[in-house]
Amino acid sequence: MAHCYYHALSSVRKWGGVVEDYLPLHQWFDQSKAIFADPRHRALRHHAEGIFMLETLFGPTIVNADSRVVPVRLIGEQHVREDLGAIPSFADWGRLITPQDWMLRGHRLDGPMPLGTVETGASGAFSGGHSSASGGAFVVEI
């Protein structure tokens, strides 16, 4: 399904009520379109853990306009199944991520720093692959 409204219509057909009963839950799943405007956005919430997060945020049930109590987890499962055909785990998505050098670079935060230096933060290693020798942080001498 392409739009949250259609997911909400599907919920109405399944449990009754009105579109507005379900729209906020379906919109939560698709807020990640603000980050990725293609199907990759689904990796952030369209999985089993995302369904449990939905329940944590909206509660275990909602009461629709027909006064019917509907489990939030079922609404989440409906959304993910309509988009993907099944409910993956986050691990299913994670296995598809190819590790990049910047993901593997570590920097000890508790290690000793030379006297007279201050660490100022990330150097932009994520955007263009540019990094300093300190693993992505600038070190400024005072």
Side-chain angles (χ1 to χ4, degrees):
M1 290 204 167
H3 194 278
C4 299
Y5 177 79
Y6 297 110
H7 284 291
L9 277 177
S10 179
S11 296
V12 169
R13 285 191 297 274
K14 191 167 194 138
W15 295 292
V18 295
V19 166
E20 291 75 20
D21 295 329
Y22 306 99
L23 198 54
L25 288 80
H26 293 296
Q27 288 172 326
W28 179 83
F29 271 106
D30 287 345
Q31 281 176 344
S32 53
K33 286 180 182 178
I35 300 167
F36 268 120
D38 65 37
R40 292 177 292 177
H41 85 89
R42 294 176 176 154
L44 295 176
R45 297 182 178 174
H46 286 62
H47 45 70
E49 186 184 15
I51 293 167
F52 278 82
M53 284 191 290
L54 181 77
E55 187 179 52
T56 299
L57 293 169
F58 288 91
T61 62
I62 64 164
V63 179
N64 68 21
D66 294 337
S67 299
R68 184 168 179 192
V69 178
V70 183
V72 166
R73 194 177 315 161
L74 295 181
I75 299 166
E77 290 173 358
Q78 170 220 333
H79 185 108
V80 174
R81 280 193 181 111
E82 287 175 349
D83 279 352
L84 303 177
I87 299 172
S89 68
F90 178 76
D92 294 326
W93 286 101
R95 279 191 282 277
L96 299 174
I97 297 172
T98 304
Q100 303 295 311
D101 287 343
W102 64 265
M103 296 175 184
L104 305 172
R105 207 175 296 133
H107 183 71
R108 286 189 60 133
L109 297 177
D110 61 347
M113 290 197 56
L115 292 176
T117 62
V118 175
E119 201 168 305
T120 63
S123 67
F126 303 115
S127 58
H130 305 291
S131 65
S132 71
S134 64
F138 290 110
V139 176
V140 180
E141 292 190 25
I142 301 177

